């Protein structure tokens, strides 16, 4: 089997959500790929409705369909062999409620397009992912996250959402009125319908500083993992699994909380220039470091809002385990350093607060996340992943819904406490299974 055939047929690889062509109706197009280029989508049929009415009409007339956002997934979660619907035209800010401290936006808007508006109006989001170029609905549907032991994933700030279900009906759910059904629908994997708008909780705007340290011995994490991950508003550890070393520690803090910058941090030394997470790469597109204050949205991501990343020749995987197992999980992966390092660009270690969203990997538990940015060596990565999954098995790891994993469906399903309830909700809103695809069928229903 050649590489192209493998990527089109693999049940665990080939990815995500696509930069849409701005057509108001279906168009015949050249083959489209995800951001990383590791997937060619399985259909040429892409719809880009401009109104909810057009979206309803499209959903009613097709037999099978999946939604597309900004193509930053690395597996087949958004793929379809028949039809895809882009939310590119659903990209507006609808309203800002200063009484309830919420903002309502259309689903396809990118975080980078929303943040300055919020800041100009005195508000901030609670968290951002490392890239600000992803759509709000896509990020929430897959429980995408930033970092911070007290910060939930991006979906945890959703307080209301609207979607068009498999019957073409407009459905509105809110945290206040719809309780369990709402919570079940937020991290929806695109399996209930196409989200059209989302309401997010806000906090007052703030200034932020980012400080980077280099070469933290992994041994320092054995007794002080929680203290290290709690030192800032958001903390990220980067390692290539060589020499039992954390190559970089990125600490993002509210400016008011930084009184002075220490030259050392648990044995790590303060960086003397801006750094890329992969030290050998130019940091020009990374957010400002060196303790320079700036708006929250210009510090919380790792990469600048104004910089749109080109197709990244990489693959990504990520696994979540309970935070209390963080150091044990770290050491379990470290034992695999000779298998992992040759195929790796970098691993990022983050903490994420627990939430009340049943399909989220952080459901009811604060987690540590091990995020692997791989070289685009598909066959080799697929061989390494089972070793990582097995090493973390004592801690019941959950994968990121939008990244590459090889867990057996039965094992994954056993780790989703309320999977039966989610399937019931799928039947309610999509009785004909229009939004089911290979990824959903395999991972939620497969043996």
């Amino acid at each position: 089997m050649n590489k192209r055939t493998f990527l089109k047929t693999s049940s665990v690889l080939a990815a995500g959500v696509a930069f849409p062509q701005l057509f108001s109706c279906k168009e015949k197009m050249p083959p489209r790929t995800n951001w990383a280029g590791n997937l060619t989508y399985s259909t040429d049929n892409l719809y880009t409705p401009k109104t909810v009415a057009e979206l309803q009409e499209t959903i009613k007339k097709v037999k099978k369909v999946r939604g597309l956002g900004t193509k930053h997934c690395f597996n087949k979660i958004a793929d379809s062999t028949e039809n895809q619907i882009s939310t590119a035209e659903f990209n507006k800010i609808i309203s800002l409620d200063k009484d309830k401290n919420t903002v309502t936006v259309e689903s396809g808007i990118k975080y980078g397009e929303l943040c300055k508006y919020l800041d100009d109006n005195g508000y901030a989001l609670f968290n951002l992912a490392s890239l600000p170029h992803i759509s709000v609905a896509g990020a929430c549907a897959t429980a995408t996250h930033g970092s911070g032991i007290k910060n939930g994933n991006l979906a945890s700030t959703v307080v209301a959402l609207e979607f068009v279900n498999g019957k073409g009906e407009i459905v509105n759910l809110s945290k206040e009125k719809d309780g369990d059904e709402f919570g079940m629908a937020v991290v929806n994997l695109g399996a209930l319908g196409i989200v059209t708008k989302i309401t997010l909780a806000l906090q007052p705007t703030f200034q932020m500083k980012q400080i980077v340290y280099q070469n933290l011995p992994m041994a320092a994490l054995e007794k002080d993992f929680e203290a290290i991950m709690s030192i800032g508003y958001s903390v990220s550890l980067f390692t290539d699994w060589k020499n039992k070393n954390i190559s970089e520690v990125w600490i993002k803090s509210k400016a008011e909380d930084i009184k002075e910058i220490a030259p050392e941090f648990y044995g790590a030394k303060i960086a003397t220039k801006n750094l890329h997470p992969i030290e050998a790469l130019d940091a020009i597109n990374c957010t400002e470091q060196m303790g320079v204050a700036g708006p929250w949205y210009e510090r919380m991501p790792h990469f600048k809002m104004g910089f749109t990343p080109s197709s990244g020749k990489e693959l990504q995987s990520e696994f979540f385990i309970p935070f209390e197992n963080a150091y044990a999980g770290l050491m379990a992966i470290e034992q695999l350093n000779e298998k992992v390092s040759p195929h790796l660009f970098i691993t990022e270690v983050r903490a994420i607060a627990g939430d009340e969203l049943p399909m989220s990997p952080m459901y009811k538990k604060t987690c540590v996340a091990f995020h692997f940015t791989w070289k685009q060596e598909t066959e080799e990565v697929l061989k390494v992943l089972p070793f990582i999954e097995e090493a973390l098995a004592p801690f019941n790891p959950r994968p990121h819904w939008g990244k590459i994993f090889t867990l057996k469906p039965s094992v994954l399903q056993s780790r989703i406490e309320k999977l039966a309830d989610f399937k019931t909700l799928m039947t309610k809103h999509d009785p004909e299974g229009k939004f089911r695809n290979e990824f959903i069928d395999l991972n939620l229903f497969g043996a």
Side-chain angles (χ1 to χ4, degrees):
M1 181 185 294
N2 63 35
K3 183 175 180 181
R4 181 179 178 85
T5 302
F6 174 79
L7 288 177
K8 289 180 70 68
T9 57
S10 170
S11 63
V12 295
L13 223 157
V17 278
F19 278 134
Q21 306 296 321
L22 301 183
F23 302 127
S24 60
C25 59
K26 183 178 72 175
E27 295 283 346
K28 191 75 172 178
M29 298 181 302
R32 295 169 292 112
T33 69
N34 68 327
W35 171 70
N38 68 298
L39 165 71
T40 298
Y41 293 114
S42 303
T43 179
D44 295 331
N45 297 327
L46 177 66
Y47 294 86
T48 308
K50 295 183 177 180
T51 66
V52 173
E54 286 184 20
L55 174 60
Q56 289 177 281
E57 181 183 351
T58 301
I59 290 173
K60 287 177 181 178
K61 74 180 181 182
V62 298
K63 290 184 178 180
K64 288 282 188 179
V65 69
R66 288 293 287 177
L68 293 176
T70 43
K71 76 173 186 180
H72 279 86
C73 290
F74 291 79
N75 58 37
K76 296 181 73 173
I77 190 169
D79 195 26
S80 173
T81 58
E82 298 191 26
N83 303 282
Q84 294 171 309
I85 293 176
S86 166
T87 57
E89 293 291 334
F90 291 88
N91 59 6
K92 300 174 184 63
I93 297 168
I94 298 172
S95 63
L96 179 65
D97 190 328
K98 293 191 175 183
D99 292 324
K100 294 184 178 179
N101 297 322
T102 61
V103 65
T104 300
V105 298
E106 291 183 331
S107 57
I109 195 169
K110 300 171 187 175
Y111 283 94
E113 298 166 342
L114 172 61
C115 290
K116 188 176 188 306
Y117 166 84
L118 293 177
D119 188 64
D120 287 346
N121 283 275
Y123 285 102
L125 295 169
F126 287 88
N127 211 346
L128 287 172
S130 56
L131 282 176
H133 313 89
I134 55 179
S135 70
V136 173
C140 293
T142 54
T144 293
H145 60 94
S147 185
I149 199 166
K150 295 182 180 179
N151 303 326
N153 62 44
L154 304 187
S156 66
T157 63
V158 177
V159 296
L161 76 163
E162 175 185 278
F163 62 93
V164 177
N165 67 17
K167 296 178 280 188
E169 300 169 338
I170 299 173
V171 180
N172 282 281
L173 298 173
S174 72
K175 185 175 183 179
E176 181 181 5
K177 296 179 180 178
D178 299 292
D180 292 344
E181 181 171 354
F182 164 80
M184 193 71 65
V186 176
V187 180
N188 55 63
L189 315 185
L192 305 180
I194 303 293
V195 174
T196 52
K197 66 181 181 183
I198 293 182
T199 301
L200 306 173
L202 303 173
Q203 64 174 324
T205 189
F206 59 94
Q207 292 274 297
M208 199 169 218
K209 293 181 179 180
Q210 184 168 213
I211 302 166
V212 176
Y213 291 89
Q214 294 181 273
N215 299 316
L216 174 78
M218 280 190 183
L221 295 165
E222 182 174 7
K223 294 182 179 179
D224 294 305
F225 205 111
E226 184 170 359
I228 288 170
M229 298 305 286
S230 304
I231 197 67
Y233 187 94
S234 169
V235 178
S236 294
L237 312 178
F238 294 96
T239 181
D240 57 8
W241 304 103
K242 295 176 181 177
N243 304 315
K244 293 187 176 181
N245 181 59
I246 302 296
S247 56
E248 298 176 23
V249 181
W250 289 35
I251 303 172
K252 305 167 190 276
S253 303
K254 288 187 174 182
E256 63 195 50
D257 295 334
I258 301 296
K259 307 304 180 186
E260 58 180 290
I261 299 176
E264 292 191 17
F265 179 72
Y266 289 89
K269 306 293 185 182
I270 190 75
T272 57
K273 63 178 181 178
N274 283 355
L275 294 175
H276 190 284
I278 304 170
E279 188 177 354
L281 298 185
D282 194 326
I284 189 170
N285 293 315
C286 295
T287 47
E288 187 70 28
Q289 301 158 28
M290 306 298 293
V292 178
W296 57 277
Y297 66 91
E298 292 183 354
R299 297 294 182 272
M300 214 181 298
H302 297 334
F303 298 95
K304 294 175 181 176
M305 295 284 185
F307 162 65
T308 302
S310 60
S311 294
K313 294 295 183 181
E314 63 188 52
L315 303 174
Q316 293 183 10
S317 300
E318 187 169 31
F319 300 96
F320 306 89
I321 64 173
F323 188 82
E324 58 266 28
N325 303 126
Y327 185 72
L330 184 83
M331 289 296 98
I333 300 171
E334 197 280 328
Q335 296 296 314
L336 301 172
N337 64 84
E338 292 184 1
K339 294 181 184 293
V340 171
S341 292
H343 311 295
L344 185 74
F345 284 123
I346 203 72
T347 292
E348 182 177 7
V349 183
R350 289 176 281 184
I352 310 97
D355 57 51
E356 295 299 321
L357 308 173
M359 293 302 288
S360 162
M362 286 68 75
Y363 180 54
K364 291 187 176 180
K365 58 182 180 293
T366 295
C367 287
V368 64
F370 299 103
H371 182 282
F372 299 84
T373 300
W374 303 101
K375 299 172 185 176
Q376 203 166 84
E377 300 173 352
T378 301
E379 293 184 10
E380 291 84 352
V381 170
L382 287 175
K383 290 177 181 177
V384 171
L385 284 175
F387 289 100
I388 295 173
E389 292 164 349
E390 180 61 28
L392 295 176
F395 318 116
N396 295 317
R398 290 273 301 274
H400 190 297
W401 286 114
K403 303 185 189 295
I404 302 164
F405 57 91
T406 61
L407 280 176
K408 292 181 179 179
S410 59
V411 173
L412 175 58
Q413 293 161 27
S414 72
R415 295 173 183 170
I416 304 173
E417 180 182 335
K418 291 188 174 291
L419 179 58
D421 294 336
F422 184 70
K423 290 179 178 179
T424 298
L425 195 62
M426 287 176 61
T427 300
K428 175 181 177 178
H429 289 295
D430 186 25
E432 296 179 3
K434 285 189 177 185
F435 291 100
R436 287 177 60 166
N437 66 350
E438 179 184 331
F439 180 93
I440 297 297
D441 285 341
L442 174 68
N443 290 297
L444 301 191
F445 294 88

